[in-house]
Amino acid sequence: MDQYLGEGRFIRQESCPSHYGYVRLVAEPATGDAPFALLWQVDEATIPAIFADEVRDGVLQSLAEARWATPLRVAIIGGGFHPIDSQHRDYREAALRAMRQALALMAQESPE
């Protein structure tokens, strides 16, 4: 099955307040009845679980914007965290960017 890598960064450390969110994901077509599955494959040091809801929201926002109807399985496989600068909204934006990238790759390879 084809897998599509997406990487999203939302890093603004020169401003106040600073922002740091980094998400790496892999998306692939899913089989079965579920239209969407999110797999959390990172440890607490990579992306703390307190940001999981925002990551999910960013992925779902990207799917809604693209009007994506094909069932997908998305695995969060990496990223980054800053103990001071990381905020919830940073991970929503990073996940949104990562999913947009993965969807763009999927769209390039899909038959017309």
Side-chain angles (χ1 to χ4, degrees):
M1 193 171 291
D2 292 331
Q3 294 185 329
Y4 302 90
L5 179 66
E7 189 170 41
R9 298 173 193 263
F10 187 69
I11 300 172
R12 305 283 184 275
Q13 292 181 296
E14 67 281 349
S15 64
C16 187
S18 297
H19 300 278
Y20 188 98
Y22 173 39
V23 174
R24 292 183 73 230
L25 57 80
V26 173
E28 62 186 4
T31 57
D33 295 332
F36 173 74
L38 182 68
L39 306 171
W40 193 258
Q41 298 179 343
V42 293
D43 61 23
E44 249 336 91
T46 303
I47 302 175
I50 62 168
F51 298 115
D53 287 343
E54 284 73 22
V55 170
R56 179 182 170 81
D57 290 348
V59 169
L60 290 174
Q61 181 180 342
S62 179
L63 293 172
E65 287 176 359
R67 298 175 193 236
W68 199 266
T70 305
L72 286 179
R73 187 172 112 134
V74 178
I76 307 303
I77 60 167
F81 166 74
H82 189 280
I84 307 270
D85 296 341
S86 290
Q87 300 177 42
H88 291 273
R89 67 178 175 255
D90 304 341
Y91 284 93
R92 180 189 310 257
E93 183 63 31
L96 175 68
R97 293 176 182 194
M99 195 65 216
R100 282 178 181 160
Q101 186 179 65
L103 290 175
L105 292 172
M106 292 177 87
Q108 286 175 0
E109 293 188 16
S110 69
E112 300 286 329

PDB file of all heavy atoms in Angstrom, residues 66-103:
ATOM      1  N   ALA A  66      -9.757  20.010   2.007  1.00  0.00           N
ATOM      2  CA  ALA A  66      -9.533  19.337   0.725  1.00  0.00           C
ATOM      3  C   ALA A  66     -10.765  18.576   0.242  1.00  0.00           C
ATOM      4  O   ALA A  66     -10.761  18.049  -0.868  1.00  0.00           O
ATOM      5  CB  ALA A  66      -8.346  18.376   0.858  1.00  0.00           C
ATOM      6  N   ARG A  67     -11.788  18.520   1.083  1.00  0.00           N
ATOM      7  CA  ARG A  67     -12.989  17.731   0.783  1.00  0.00           C
ATOM      8  C   ARG A  67     -12.622  16.290   0.438  1.00  0.00           C
ATOM      9  O   ARG A  67     -13.090  15.714  -0.537  1.00  0.00           O
ATOM     10  CB  ARG A  67     -13.798  18.380  -0.331  1.00  0.00           C
ATOM     11  CG  ARG A  67     -14.290  19.750   0.050  1.00  0.00           C
ATOM     12  CD  ARG A  67     -14.979  20.444  -1.088  1.00  0.00           C
ATOM     13  NE  ARG A  67     -15.133  21.848  -0.744  1.00  0.00           N
ATOM     14  CZ  ARG A  67     -16.288  22.474  -0.732  1.00  0.00           C
ATOM     15  NH1 ARG A  67     -17.369  21.851  -1.065  1.00  0.00           N
ATOM     16  NH2 ARG A  67     -16.347  23.733  -0.399  1.00  0.00           N
ATOM     17  N   TRP A  68     -11.741  15.751   1.261  1.00  0.00           N
ATOM     18  CA  TRP A  68     -11.208  14.409   1.048  1.00  0.00           C
ATOM     19  C   TRP A  68     -12.243  13.384   1.471  1.00  0.00           C
ATOM     20  O   TRP A  68     -12.713  13.394   2.595  1.00  0.00           O
ATOM     21  CB  TRP A  68      -9.930  14.225   1.855  1.00  0.00           C
ATOM     22  CG  TRP A  68      -9.108  13.097   1.347  1.00  0.00           C
ATOM     23  CD1 TRP A  68      -9.127  11.820   1.803  1.00  0.00           C
ATOM     24  CD2 TRP A  68      -8.172  13.138   0.275  1.00  0.00           C
ATOM     25  NE1 TRP A  68      -8.254  11.055   1.078  1.00  0.00           N
ATOM     26  CE2 TRP A  68      -7.649  11.833   0.134  1.00  0.00           C
ATOM     27  CE3 TRP A  68      -7.726  14.130  -0.583  1.00  0.00           C
ATOM     28  CZ2 TRP A  68      -6.704  11.512  -0.821  1.00  0.00           C
ATOM     29  CZ3 TRP A  68      -6.779  13.813  -1.530  1.00  0.00           C
ATOM     30  CH2 TRP A  68      -6.273  12.522  -1.649  1.00  0.00           C
ATOM     31  N   ALA A  69     -12.603  12.489   0.569  1.00  0.00           N
ATOM     32  CA  ALA A  69     -13.658  11.516   0.857  1.00  0.00           C
ATOM     33  C   ALA A  69     -13.131  10.086   0.986  1.00  0.00           C
ATOM     34  O   ALA A  69     -13.836   9.217   1.468  1.00  0.00           O
ATOM     35  CB  ALA A  69     -14.723  11.581  -0.233  1.00  0.00           C
ATOM     36  N   THR A  70     -11.921   9.834   0.543  1.00  0.00           N
ATOM     37  CA  THR A  70     -11.353   8.492   0.594  1.00  0.00           C
ATOM     38  C   THR A  70     -10.932   8.150   2.024  1.00  0.00           C
ATOM     39  O   THR A  70     -10.289   8.972   2.679  1.00  0.00           O
ATOM     40  CB  THR A  70     -10.109   8.415  -0.328  1.00  0.00           C
ATOM     41  OG1 THR A  70     -10.484   8.828  -1.637  1.00  0.00           O
ATOM     42  CG2 THR A  70      -9.543   7.018  -0.384  1.00  0.00           C
ATOM     43  N   PRO A  71     -11.276   6.964   2.516  1.00  0.00           N
ATOM     44  CA  PRO A  71     -10.842   6.585   3.868  1.00  0.00           C
ATOM     45  C   PRO A  71      -9.315   6.614   3.995  1.00  0.00           C
ATOM     46  O   PRO A  71      -8.601   6.165   3.093  1.00  0.00           O
ATOM     47  CB  PRO A  71     -11.375   5.165   4.035  1.00  0.00           C
ATOM     48  CG  PRO A  71     -12.510   5.071   3.077  1.00  0.00           C
ATOM     49  CD  PRO A  71     -12.120   5.938   1.907  1.00  0.00           C
ATOM     50  N   LEU A  72      -8.847   7.150   5.109  1.00  0.00           N
ATOM     51  CA  LEU A  72      -7.409   7.280   5.341  1.00  0.00           C
ATOM     52  C   LEU A  72      -7.015   6.754   6.705  1.00  0.00           C
ATOM     53  O   LEU A  72      -7.777   6.825   7.667  1.00  0.00           O
ATOM     54  CB  LEU A  72      -6.980   8.749   5.287  1.00  0.00           C
ATOM     55  CG  LEU A  72      -6.905   9.424   3.945  1.00  0.00           C
ATOM     56  CD1 LEU A  72      -6.483  10.877   4.120  1.00  0.00           C
ATOM     57  CD2 LEU A  72      -5.926   8.721   3.027  1.00  0.00           C
ATOM     58  N   ARG A  73      -5.800   6.280   6.749  1.00  0.00           N
ATOM     59  CA  ARG A  73      -5.144   5.917   7.997  1.00  0.00           C
ATOM     60  C   ARG A  73      -3.936   6.834   8.111  1.00  0.00           C
ATOM     61  O   ARG A  73      -3.115   6.896   7.194  1.00  0.00           O
ATOM     62  CB  ARG A  73      -4.710   4.467   7.926  1.00  0.00           C
ATOM     63  CG  ARG A  73      -4.185   3.922   9.198  1.00  0.00           C
ATOM     64  CD  ARG A  73      -3.999   2.448   9.002  1.00  0.00           C
ATOM     65  NE  ARG A  73      -2.575   2.176   9.013  1.00  0.00           N
ATOM     66  CZ  ARG A  73      -2.045   1.183   9.693  1.00  0.00           C
ATOM     67  NH1 ARG A  73      -2.813   0.358  10.351  1.00  0.00           N
ATOM     68  NH2 ARG A  73      -0.760   0.991   9.689  1.00  0.00           N
ATOM     69  N   VAL A  74      -3.852   7.565   9.200  1.00  0.00           N
ATOM     70  CA  VAL A  74      -2.778   8.534   9.403  1.00  0.00           C
ATOM     71  C   VAL A  74      -2.017   8.155  10.661  1.00  0.00           C
ATOM     72  O   VAL A  74      -2.619   8.002  11.725  1.00  0.00           O
ATOM     73  CB  VAL A  74      -3.331   9.968   9.518  1.00  0.00           C
ATOM     74  CG1 VAL A  74      -2.213  10.967   9.772  1.00  0.00           C
ATOM     75  CG2 VAL A  74      -4.115  10.347   8.260  1.00  0.00           C
ATOM     76  N   ALA A  75      -0.705   8.006  10.531  1.00  0.00           N
ATOM     77  CA  ALA A  75       0.146   7.684  11.675  1.00  0.00           C
ATOM     78  C   ALA A  75       1.047   8.874  11.977  1.00  0.00           C
ATOM     79  O   ALA A  75       1.719   9.387  11.083  1.00  0.00           O
ATOM     80  CB  ALA A  75       0.992   6.450  11.381  1.00  0.00           C
ATOM     81  N   ILE A  76       1.029   9.312  13.209  1.00  0.00           N
ATOM     82  CA  ILE A  76       1.954  10.347  13.657  1.00  0.00           C
ATOM     83  C   ILE A  76       3.244   9.626  14.019  1.00  0.00           C
ATOM     84  O   ILE A  76       3.281   8.826  14.959  1.00  0.00           O
ATOM     85  CB  ILE A  76       1.392  11.142  14.857  1.00  0.00           C
ATOM     86  CG1 ILE A  76      -0.003  11.689  14.550  1.00  0.00           C
ATOM     87  CG2 ILE A  76       2.361  12.239  15.270  1.00  0.00           C
ATOM     88  CD1 ILE A  76      -0.101  12.575  13.332  1.00  0.00           C
ATOM     89  N   ILE A  77       4.312   9.874  13.250  1.00  0.00           N
ATOM     90  CA  ILE A  77       5.545   9.089  13.391  1.00  0.00           C
ATOM     91  C   ILE A  77       6.721   9.883  13.955  1.00  0.00           C
ATOM     92  O   ILE A  77       7.760   9.301  14.255  1.00  0.00           O
ATOM     93  CB  ILE A  77       5.954   8.478  12.040  1.00  0.00           C
ATOM     94  CG1 ILE A  77       6.206   9.564  11.003  1.00  0.00           C
ATOM     95  CG2 ILE A  77       4.901   7.476  11.571  1.00  0.00           C
ATOM     96  CD1 ILE A  77       6.909   9.083   9.754  1.00  0.00           C
ATOM     97  N   GLY A  78       6.575  11.194  14.078  1.00  0.00           N
ATOM     98  CA  GLY A  78       7.687  11.974  14.594  1.00  0.00           C
ATOM     99  C   GLY A  78       7.296  13.415  14.776  1.00  0.00           C
ATOM    100  O   GLY A  78       6.150  13.807  14.576  1.00  0.00           O
ATOM    101  N   GLY A  79       8.267  14.196  15.151  1.00  0.00           N
ATOM    102  CA  GLY A  79       8.018  15.607  15.355  1.00  0.00           C
ATOM    103  C   GLY A  79       8.981  16.166  16.363  1.00  0.00           C
ATOM    104  O   GLY A  79      10.086  15.640  16.534  1.00  0.00           O
ATOM    105  N   GLY A  80       8.560  17.194  17.020  1.00  0.00           N
ATOM    106  CA  GLY A  80       9.421  17.819  18.002  1.00  0.00           C
ATOM    107  C   GLY A  80       8.615  18.628  18.994  1.00  0.00           C
ATOM    108  O   GLY A  80       7.460  18.964  18.763  1.00  0.00           O
ATOM    109  N   PHE A  81       9.279  18.934  20.093  1.00  0.00           N
ATOM    110  CA  PHE A  81       8.647  19.608  21.216  1.00  0.00           C
ATOM    111  C   PHE A  81       9.669  20.527  21.867  1.00  0.00           C
ATOM    112  O   PHE A  81      10.849  20.196  21.956  1.00  0.00           O
ATOM    113  CB  PHE A  81       8.160  18.552  22.209  1.00  0.00           C
ATOM    114  CG  PHE A  81       7.790  19.075  23.561  1.00  0.00           C
ATOM    115  CD1 PHE A  81       6.624  19.791  23.734  1.00  0.00           C
ATOM    116  CD2 PHE A  81       8.602  18.857  24.656  1.00  0.00           C
ATOM    117  CE1 PHE A  81       6.273  20.282  24.985  1.00  0.00           C
ATOM    118  CE2 PHE A  81       8.256  19.334  25.906  1.00  0.00           C
ATOM    119  CZ  PHE A  81       7.091  20.053  26.069  1.00  0.00           C
ATOM    120  N   HIS A  82       9.210  21.681  22.293  1.00  0.00           N
ATOM    121  CA  HIS A  82      10.049  22.600  23.069  1.00  0.00           C
ATOM    122  C   HIS A  82       9.342  22.829  24.406  1.00  0.00           C
ATOM    123  O   HIS A  82       8.171  23.207  24.426  1.00  0.00           O
ATOM    124  CB  HIS A  82      10.238  23.920  22.326  1.00  0.00           C
ATOM    125  CG  HIS A  82      11.242  24.805  22.964  1.00  0.00           C
ATOM    126  ND1 HIS A  82      10.944  25.582  24.057  1.00  0.00           N
ATOM    127  CD2 HIS A  82      12.548  25.023  22.672  1.00  0.00           C
ATOM    128  CE1 HIS A  82      12.024  26.247  24.414  1.00  0.00           C
ATOM    129  NE2 HIS A  82      13.017  25.926  23.593  1.00  0.00           N
ATOM    130  N   PRO A  83      10.040  22.600  25.525  1.00  0.00           N
ATOM    131  CA  PRO A  83       9.366  22.663  26.828  1.00  0.00           C
ATOM    132  C   PRO A  83       8.807  24.034  27.193  1.00  0.00           C
ATOM    133  O   PRO A  83       7.876  24.128  27.989  1.00  0.00           O
ATOM    134  CB  PRO A  83      10.451  22.233  27.827  1.00  0.00           C
ATOM    135  CG  PRO A  83      11.730  22.418  27.107  1.00  0.00           C
ATOM    136  CD  PRO A  83      11.436  22.250  25.643  1.00  0.00           C
ATOM    137  N   ILE A  84       9.322  25.100  26.609  1.00  0.00           N
ATOM    138  CA  ILE A  84       8.837  26.451  26.912  1.00  0.00           C
ATOM    139  C   ILE A  84       7.932  26.974  25.798  1.00  0.00           C
ATOM    140  O   ILE A  84       6.868  27.522  26.050  1.00  0.00           O
ATOM    141  CB  ILE A  84      10.022  27.434  27.084  1.00  0.00           C
ATOM    142  CG1 ILE A  84      11.009  26.906  28.104  1.00  0.00           C
ATOM    143  CG2 ILE A  84       9.524  28.843  27.367  1.00  0.00           C
ATOM    144  CD1 ILE A  84      10.801  27.292  29.514  1.00  0.00           C
ATOM    145  N   ASP A  85       8.368  26.805  24.550  1.00  0.00           N
ATOM    146  CA  ASP A  85       7.717  27.467  23.421  1.00  0.00           C
ATOM    147  C   ASP A  85       6.541  26.715  22.817  1.00  0.00           C
ATOM    148  O   ASP A  85       5.746  27.299  22.086  1.00  0.00           O
ATOM    149  CB  ASP A  85       8.739  27.753  22.316  1.00  0.00           C
ATOM    150  CG  ASP A  85       9.808  28.742  22.757  1.00  0.00           C
ATOM    151  OD1 ASP A  85       9.576  29.468  23.748  1.00  0.00           O
ATOM    152  OD2 ASP A  85      10.864  28.800  22.111  1.00  0.00           O
ATOM    153  N   SER A  86       6.401  25.420  23.061  1.00  0.00           N
ATOM    154  CA  SER A  86       5.307  24.658  22.452  1.00  0.00           C
ATOM    155  C   SER A  86       3.973  24.992  23.116  1.00  0.00           C
ATOM    156  O   SER A  86       3.856  24.985  24.341  1.00  0.00           O
ATOM    157  CB  SER A  86       5.574  23.152  22.577  1.00  0.00           C
ATOM    158  OG  SER A  86       6.644  22.772  21.737  1.00  0.00           O
ATOM    159  N   GLN A  87       2.997  25.289  22.257  1.00  0.00           N
ATOM    160  CA  GLN A  87       1.644  25.600  22.702  1.00  0.00           C
ATOM    161  C   GLN A  87       0.668  24.736  21.908  1.00  0.00           C
ATOM    162  O   GLN A  87       0.989  24.262  20.823  1.00  0.00           O
ATOM    163  CB  GLN A  87       1.334  27.078  22.481  1.00  0.00           C
ATOM    164  CG  GLN A  87       2.277  28.002  23.230  1.00  0.00           C
ATOM    165  CD  GLN A  87       1.981  29.456  22.930  1.00  0.00           C
ATOM    166  OE1 GLN A  87       0.822  29.859  22.873  1.00  0.00           O
ATOM    167  NE2 GLN A  87       3.026  30.238  22.717  1.00  0.00           N
ATOM    168  N   HIS A  88      -0.529  24.575  22.414  1.00  0.00           N
ATOM    169  CA  HIS A  88      -1.514  23.709  21.763  1.00  0.00           C
ATOM    170  C   HIS A  88      -1.757  24.106  20.316  1.00  0.00           C
ATOM    171  O   HIS A  88      -1.730  23.263  19.422  1.00  0.00           O
ATOM    172  CB  HIS A  88      -2.826  23.708  22.562  1.00  0.00           C
ATOM    173  CG  HIS A  88      -2.696  23.021  23.874  1.00  0.00           C
ATOM    174  ND1 HIS A  88      -2.874  21.673  24.031  1.00  0.00           N
ATOM    175  CD2 HIS A  88      -2.368  23.492  25.106  1.00  0.00           C
ATOM    176  CE1 HIS A  88      -2.684  21.331  25.286  1.00  0.00           C
ATOM    177  NE2 HIS A  88      -2.374  22.420  25.970  1.00  0.00           N
ATOM    178  N   ARG A  89      -1.997  25.368  20.058  1.00  0.00           N
ATOM    179  CA  ARG A  89      -2.324  25.795  18.686  1.00  0.00           C
ATOM    180  C   ARG A  89      -1.164  25.567  17.711  1.00  0.00           C
ATOM    181  O   ARG A  89      -1.370  25.439  16.516  1.00  0.00           O
ATOM    182  CB  ARG A  89      -2.779  27.244  18.671  1.00  0.00           C
ATOM    183  CG  ARG A  89      -1.717  28.242  19.035  1.00  0.00           C
ATOM    184  CD  ARG A  89      -2.263  29.670  18.948  1.00  0.00           C
ATOM    185  NE  ARG A  89      -1.277  30.622  19.402  1.00  0.00           N
ATOM    186  CZ  ARG A  89      -1.312  31.256  20.562  1.00  0.00           C
ATOM    187  NH1 ARG A  89      -2.318  31.042  21.383  1.00  0.00           N
ATOM    188  NH2 ARG A  89      -0.370  32.108  20.883  1.00  0.00           N
ATOM    189  N   ASP A  90       0.059  25.504  18.220  1.00  0.00           N
ATOM    190  CA  ASP A  90       1.214  25.254  17.353  1.00  0.00           C
ATOM    191  C   ASP A  90       1.134  23.872  16.725  1.00  0.00           C
ATOM    192  O   ASP A  90       1.505  23.678  15.569  1.00  0.00           O
ATOM    193  CB  ASP A  90       2.514  25.378  18.150  1.00  0.00           C
ATOM    194  CG  ASP A  90       2.662  26.724  18.836  1.00  0.00           C
ATOM    195  OD1 ASP A  90       1.974  27.690  18.431  1.00  0.00           O
ATOM    196  OD2 ASP A  90       3.465  26.815  19.785  1.00  0.00           O
ATOM    197  N   TYR A  91       0.630  22.905  17.474  1.00  0.00           N
ATOM    198  CA  TYR A  91       0.518  21.547  16.946  1.00  0.00           C
ATOM    199  C   TYR A  91      -0.656  21.402  15.985  1.00  0.00           C
ATOM    200  O   TYR A  91      -0.586  20.617  15.039  1.00  0.00           O
ATOM    201  CB  TYR A  91       0.445  20.526  18.093  1.00  0.00           C
ATOM    202  CG  TYR A  91       1.816  20.345  18.669  1.00  0.00           C
ATOM    203  CD1 TYR A  91       2.229  21.095  19.755  1.00  0.00           C
ATOM    204  CD2 TYR A  91       2.729  19.505  18.052  1.00  0.00           C
ATOM    205  CE1 TYR A  91       3.512  20.982  20.247  1.00  0.00           C
ATOM    206  CE2 TYR A  91       4.015  19.385  18.533  1.00  0.00           C
ATOM    207  CZ  TYR A  91       4.401  20.131  19.625  1.00  0.00           C
ATOM    208  OH  TYR A  91       5.684  20.024  20.091  1.00  0.00           O
ATOM    209  N   ARG A  92      -1.693  22.168  16.194  1.00  0.00           N
ATOM    210  CA  ARG A  92      -2.802  22.164  15.223  1.00  0.00           C
ATOM    211  C   ARG A  92      -2.288  22.670  13.869  1.00  0.00           C
ATOM    212  O   ARG A  92      -2.539  22.065  12.834  1.00  0.00           O
ATOM    213  CB  ARG A  92      -3.953  23.034  15.710  1.00  0.00           C
ATOM    214  CG  ARG A  92      -5.140  23.068  14.728  1.00  0.00           C
ATOM    215  CD  ARG A  92      -6.169  24.103  15.141  1.00  0.00           C
ATOM    216  NE  ARG A  92      -6.536  23.984  16.528  1.00  0.00           N
ATOM    217  CZ  ARG A  92      -7.665  23.447  16.963  1.00  0.00           C
ATOM    218  NH1 ARG A  92      -8.546  22.996  16.108  1.00  0.00           N
ATOM    219  NH2 ARG A  92      -7.931  23.386  18.256  1.00  0.00           N
ATOM    220  N   GLU A  93      -1.544  23.763  13.898  1.00  0.00           N
ATOM    221  CA  GLU A  93      -1.011  24.345  12.657  1.00  0.00           C
ATOM    222  C   GLU A  93       0.026  23.423  12.015  1.00  0.00           C
ATOM    223  O   GLU A  93       0.031  23.245  10.795  1.00  0.00           O
ATOM    224  CB  GLU A  93      -0.407  25.721  12.938  1.00  0.00           C
ATOM    225  CG  GLU A  93       0.105  26.426  11.703  1.00  0.00           C
ATOM    226  CD  GLU A  93      -0.963  26.755  10.673  1.00  0.00           C
ATOM    227  OE1 GLU A  93      -2.126  26.998  11.043  1.00  0.00           O
ATOM    228  OE2 GLU A  93      -0.630  26.776   9.455  1.00  0.00           O
ATOM    229  N   ALA A  94       0.912  22.840  12.800  1.00  0.00           N
ATOM    230  CA  ALA A  94       1.927  21.932  12.258  1.00  0.00           C
ATOM    231  C   ALA A  94       1.279  20.704  11.625  1.00  0.00           C
ATOM    232  O   ALA A  94       1.667  20.269  10.535  1.00  0.00           O
ATOM    233  CB  ALA A  94       2.911  21.524  13.353  1.00  0.00           C
ATOM    234  N   ALA A  95       0.264  20.132  12.283  1.00  0.00           N
ATOM    235  CA  ALA A  95      -0.433  18.962  11.736  1.00  0.00           C
ATOM    236  C   ALA A  95      -1.203  19.320  10.474  1.00  0.00           C
ATOM    237  O   ALA A  95      -1.240  18.533   9.518  1.00  0.00           O
ATOM    238  CB  ALA A  95      -1.372  18.369  12.783  1.00  0.00           C
ATOM    239  N   LEU A  96      -1.812  20.496  10.453  1.00  0.00           N
ATOM    240  CA  LEU A  96      -2.517  20.975   9.262  1.00  0.00           C
ATOM    241  C   LEU A  96      -1.556  21.038   8.076  1.00  0.00           C
ATOM    242  O   LEU A  96      -1.859  20.546   6.986  1.00  0.00           O
ATOM    243  CB  LEU A  96      -3.121  22.353   9.544  1.00  0.00           C
ATOM    244  CG  LEU A  96      -3.795  23.088   8.392  1.00  0.00           C
ATOM    245  CD1 LEU A  96      -5.066  22.385   7.978  1.00  0.00           C
ATOM    246  CD2 LEU A  96      -4.105  24.516   8.812  1.00  0.00           C
ATOM    247  N   ARG A  97      -0.382  21.605   8.295  1.00  0.00           N
ATOM    248  CA  ARG A  97       0.616  21.718   7.223  1.00  0.00           C
ATOM    249  C   ARG A  97       1.132  20.350   6.782  1.00  0.00           C
ATOM    250  O   ARG A  97       1.310  20.101   5.586  1.00  0.00           O
ATOM    251  CB  ARG A  97       1.771  22.598   7.689  1.00  0.00           C
ATOM    252  CG  ARG A  97       1.367  24.035   7.893  1.00  0.00           C
ATOM    253  CD  ARG A  97       2.487  24.871   8.450  1.00  0.00           C
ATOM    254  NE  ARG A  97       2.032  26.245   8.680  1.00  0.00           N
ATOM    255  CZ  ARG A  97       2.848  27.251   8.912  1.00  0.00           C
ATOM    256  NH1 ARG A  97       4.158  27.066   8.964  1.00  0.00           N
ATOM    257  NH2 ARG A  97       2.358  28.468   9.097  1.00  0.00           N
ATOM    258  N   ALA A  98       1.369  19.457   7.735  1.00  0.00           N
ATOM    259  CA  ALA A  98       1.856  18.124   7.402  1.00  0.00           C
ATOM    260  C   ALA A  98       0.830  17.354   6.572  1.00  0.00           C
ATOM    261  O   ALA A  98       1.168  16.706   5.583  1.00  0.00           O
ATOM    262  CB  ALA A  98       2.189  17.357   8.687  1.00  0.00           C
ATOM    263  N   MET A  99      -0.439  17.435   6.969  1.00  0.00           N
ATOM    264  CA  MET A  99      -1.479  16.704   6.246  1.00  0.00           C
ATOM    265  C   MET A  99      -1.701  17.289   4.860  1.00  0.00           C
ATOM    266  O   MET A  99      -1.924  16.547   3.904  1.00  0.00           O
ATOM    267  CB  MET A  99      -2.779  16.709   7.061  1.00  0.00           C
ATOM    268  CG  MET A  99      -3.784  15.690   6.590  1.00  0.00           C
ATOM    269  SD  MET A  99      -3.172  14.010   6.828  1.00  0.00           S
ATOM    270  CE  MET A  99      -3.838  13.230   5.383  1.00  0.00           C
ATOM    271  N   ARG A 100      -1.615  18.610   4.737  1.00  0.00           N
ATOM    272  CA  ARG A 100      -1.719  19.225   3.407  1.00  0.00           C
ATOM    273  C   ARG A 100      -0.635  18.686   2.479  1.00  0.00           C
ATOM    274  O   ARG A 100      -0.885  18.402   1.307  1.00  0.00           O
ATOM    275  CB  ARG A 100      -1.589  20.746   3.511  1.00  0.00           C
ATOM    276  CG  ARG A 100      -2.819  21.450   3.991  1.00  0.00           C
ATOM    277  CD  ARG A 100      -2.560  22.932   4.101  1.00  0.00           C
ATOM    278  NE  ARG A 100      -3.724  23.667   4.578  1.00  0.00           N
ATOM    279  CZ  ARG A 100      -3.669  24.870   5.120  1.00  0.00           C
ATOM    280  NH1 ARG A 100      -2.503  25.496   5.252  1.00  0.00           N
ATOM    281  NH2 ARG A 100      -4.768  25.468   5.524  1.00  0.00           N
ATOM    282  N   GLN A 101       0.562  18.557   3.011  1.00  0.00           N
ATOM    283  CA  GLN A 101       1.668  18.041   2.207  1.00  0.00           C
ATOM    284  C   GLN A 101       1.410  16.596   1.774  1.00  0.00           C
ATOM    285  O   GLN A 101       1.599  16.241   0.610  1.00  0.00           O
ATOM    286  CB  GLN A 101       2.966  18.143   3.005  1.00  0.00           C
ATOM    287  CG  GLN A 101       4.198  17.782   2.219  1.00  0.00           C
ATOM    288  CD  GLN A 101       5.445  17.918   3.059  1.00  0.00           C
ATOM    289  OE1 GLN A 101       5.618  17.186   4.046  1.00  0.00           O
ATOM    290  NE2 GLN A 101       6.302  18.854   2.699  1.00  0.00           N
ATOM    291  N   ALA A 102       0.964  15.760   2.696  1.00  0.00           N
ATOM    292  CA  ALA A 102       0.674  14.364   2.366  1.00  0.00           C
ATOM    293  C   ALA A 102      -0.455  14.258   1.341  1.00  0.00           C
ATOM    294  O   ALA A 102      -0.381  13.467   0.397  1.00  0.00           O
ATOM    295  CB  ALA A 102       0.328  13.580   3.629  1.00  0.00           C
ATOM    296  N   LEU A 103      -1.501  15.060   1.511  1.00  0.00           N
ATOM    297  CA  LEU A 103      -2.619  15.037   0.556  1.00  0.00           C
ATOM    298  C   LEU A 103      -2.184  15.510  -0.822  1.00  0.00           C
ATOM    299  O   LEU A 103      -2.651  14.972  -1.842  1.00  0.00           O
ATOM    300  CB  LEU A 103      -3.777  15.897   1.067  1.00  0.00           C
ATOM    301  CG  LEU A 103      -4.528  15.370   2.283  1.00  0.00           C
ATOM    302  CD1 LEU A 103      -5.572  16.392   2.739  1.00  0.00           C
ATOM    303  CD2 LEU A 103      -5.168  14.021   2.002  1.00  0.00           C
TER     304      LEU A 103
END
